[in-house]
Amino acid sequence: AQKITQTQPGMFVQEKEAVTLDCTYDTSDQSYGLFWYKQPSSGEMIFLIYQGSYDEQNATEGRYSLNFQKARKSANLVISASQLGDSAMYFCAMRDEINSGYALNFGKGTSLLVTP
Amino acid sequence: SQTIHQWPATLVQPVGSPLSLECTVEGTSNPNLYWYRQAAGRGLQLLFYSVGIGQISSEVPQNLSASRPQDRQFILSSKKLLLSDSGFYLCAWSVLISGEQFFGPGTRLTVL
């Protein structure tokens, strides 16, 4: 069975600073995918970044990068140059194979507050 | 481009009343569709998923049900709501190659 762990319930960062949100996972699958989503106060879940287990390079999308350490089973999200609009809940998720497709198993999330 | 719609955006219902939440997707064919529930301050719990018309799989036994009458329409229902059904309901569709899912705006349900 898969398990996603986000140990930081809340984080603070000052505007323009970088911040790392932790995510560790446990799986017996050889092939897997890891995702990060942002959930602002409006509630919608916004896809940020994806990392495949066989990808040799760390994924990057604009100010978001994923620090993937396979041996340590960690997939931390790094947000560079934080902005006030980055204040939100952040969820780490892992792809779980189901009949004819995939579902996502989510961690409990980290609340990020960016301060001026 | 693909878009996903959910309605209503908010709903307040008495205990024991029926429920119908609707989700529609535009701009894609034969998507995998999902219903998740998020309790206050919690992560997302997968409720149902569908790989095609009329094909529904349930992840959590409860008083909710789902149906997929058309390729891009997914409906979440209940005959009698419980207090514990309160939460934020999110519909999503997925890309099969990598598995990332794209979510609708959600429905906030309060059962009183």
Side-chain angles (χ1 to χ4, degrees), chain B residues 54-83:
Chain B
Q55 301 179 62
I56 308 294
S57 296
S58 172
E59 287 293 300
V60 182
Q62 56 209 327
N63 69 319
L64 299 173
S65 62
S67 62
R68 185 170 177 174
Q70 300 179 41
D71 181 45
R72 288 170 286 182
Q73 184 185 30
F74 204 22
I75 297 172
L76 183 70
S77 304
S78 175
K79 292 182 179 178
K80 288 185 178 182
L81 283 168
L82 307 173
L83 287 174

Side-chain angles (χ1 to χ4, degrees), chain B residues 1-4 25-28 93:
Chain B
S1 63
Q2 301 88 1
T3 55
I4 180 168
V25 181
E26 296 177 358
T28 186
W93 70 277

Side-chain angles (χ1 to χ4, degrees), chain B residues 20 23 45 48 77 96 102 104:
Chain B
S20 180
C23 170
Q45 178 188 36
F48 300 95
S77 304
L96 289 183
F102 300 95

Side-chain angles (χ1 to χ4, degrees), chain B residues 5-94:
Chain B
H5 305 278
Q6 284 186 248
W7 64 89
T10 60
L11 193 59
V12 179
Q13 292 285 97
V15 170
S17 64
L19 173 74
S20 180
L21 303 182
E22 190 163 343
C23 170
T24 59
V25 181
E26 296 177 358
T28 186
S29 296
N30 196 31
N32 278 14
L33 296 173
Y34 308 83
W35 278 111
Y36 290 87
R37 177 170 62 200
Q38 184 179 30
R42 306 281 296 274
L44 273 69
Q45 178 188 36
L46 179 64
L47 300 176
F48 300 95
Y49 64 93
S50 172
V51 300
I53 295 174
Q55 301 179 62
I56 308 294
S57 296
S58 172
E59 287 293 300
V60 182
Q62 56 209 327
N63 69 319
L64 299 173
S65 62
S67 62
R68 185 170 177 174
Q70 300 179 41
D71 181 45
R72 288 170 286 182
Q73 184 185 30
F74 204 22
I75 297 172
L76 183 70
S77 304
S78 175
K79 292 182 179 178
K80 288 185 178 182
L81 283 168
L82 307 173
L83 287 174
S84 57
D85 292 325
S86 293
F88 191 54
Y89 289 81
L90 287 154
C91 180
W93 70 277
S94 73

